Amino acid sequence: MEDIDVIAVLQDPVRRRLYEYVAAQGREVGRNEAAEAAGVARTLAAHHLDRLAEAGLLESGSRRLTGRSGPGAGRPAKVYTRARVERSVSLPARDYRTAAELLAEAAEEAGLDAGLYAAARRRGESLRGTPEPCGGLEEAMAVLASRGYEPHLEGGGGGEPGEGRGGGGGGGERVVRMRNCPFHAVAERFPPLVCGMNLALLEGLLGVDGPVRARMDARPGECCVVVEASKDNVH
């Protein structure tokens, strides 16, 4: 299926809500949960979820949602996660990825890391549009979401907007992690260079002398940068 046909699958509003919910969770989602989140019947949700899986936008599998095994544990249920395949459409056709990879390769070979990071920091400051740094983690999450990073909050006792599972609900420092890297394709080929560029960009975007700071903390399947409260602002 061509990318344009895959993306067209999301034209249905219910299907799009289901896709966006599953994508935002960062974990396997069952049909009942997805149906409840989208406000539709389970049978309708199942139809649309399977359609998304057929199109390659979701991956499906099965597991026992009770967490138990053996007799009495119940039958495995169908679960869904966002597919890792990247889809894009450009009319007319453009190939910015190849250009980005060539520029990254040239910068890496020429040892232009420092110049690239300085340019990325300036661009971040320009995108911020104000001399004031980001005001806190909640504001940082809004900024990151607008740039496509898909942030979620971990730690701090749970219950925070956008918090994902696996980040602990029993206290600890709050850290904003990001499920998406906008530069993922190029970062896979040139990780030190592009991750450093990403960090510099976010330092410029959020500010380096405010209540939050960006730092490297790579974790599989997520952006290599995290955002947390600055040490000078932790009481």
Side-chain angles (χ1 to χ4, degrees), residues 180-210:
N180 183 53
C181 172
F183 317 110
H184 174 73
V186 187
E188 277 196 317
R189 287 198 58 189
F190 308 95
L193 181 76
V194 178
C195 289
M197 178 199 75
N198 188 24
L199 174 61
L201 178 71
L202 293 181
E203 286 175 342
L205 186 64
L206 303 175
V208 295
D209 54 355

Side-chain angles (χ1 to χ4, degrees), residues 23-106:
Q25 303 315 302
R27 55 176 173 79
E28 294 177 332
V29 174
R31 287 172 168 176
N32 287 339
E33 179 186 347
E36 183 178 352
V40 297
R42 183 184 184 279
T43 52
L44 180 61
H47 166 74
H48 285 305
L49 289 166
D50 285 340
R51 182 72 182 92
L52 290 165
E54 290 169 6
L57 289 166
L58 297 180
E59 295 178 357
S60 63
S62 62
R63 67 177 177 86
R64 289 185 173 89
L65 298 179
T66 61
R68 303 195 306 271
S69 60
R75 298 176 58 186
K78 202 162 188 180
V79 292
Y80 304 83
T81 56
R82 178 169 59 181
R84 296 184 180 183
V85 178
E86 184 176 311
R87 306 284 185 176
S88 64
V89 174
S90 177
L91 298 173
R94 298 287 188 262
D95 190 3
Y96 299 114
R97 176 173 173 175
T98 296
E101 289 178 346
L102 288 170
L103 290 168
E105 183 176 354

Side-chain angles (χ1 to χ4, degrees), residues 6 22 37 41 43 65 67-68 74 95 104 108 113 129 140 162 169 175 177-178 183 186 196 209 217 222:
V6 172
V22 173
T43 52
L65 298 179
R68 303 195 306 271
D95 190 3
E108 192 171 73
D113 307 46
V175 176
R177 294 188 177 272
M178 295 163 266
F183 317 110
V186 187
D209 54 355
D217 188 10
E222 297 193 345

Side-chain angles (χ1 to χ4, degrees), residues 133-182:
C134 184
L137 289 180
E138 285 71 23
E139 183 180 332
M141 289 182 68
V143 172
L144 293 167
S146 71
R147 304 297 306 175
Y149 284 92
E150 298 182 8
H152 62 104
L153 192 63
E154 291 190 349
E160 300 288 351
E163 183 178 2
R165 293 192 177 186
E173 295 182 0
R174 300 193 303 167
V175 176
V176 176
R177 294 188 177 272
M178 295 163 266
R179 294 195 176 100
N180 183 53
C181 172

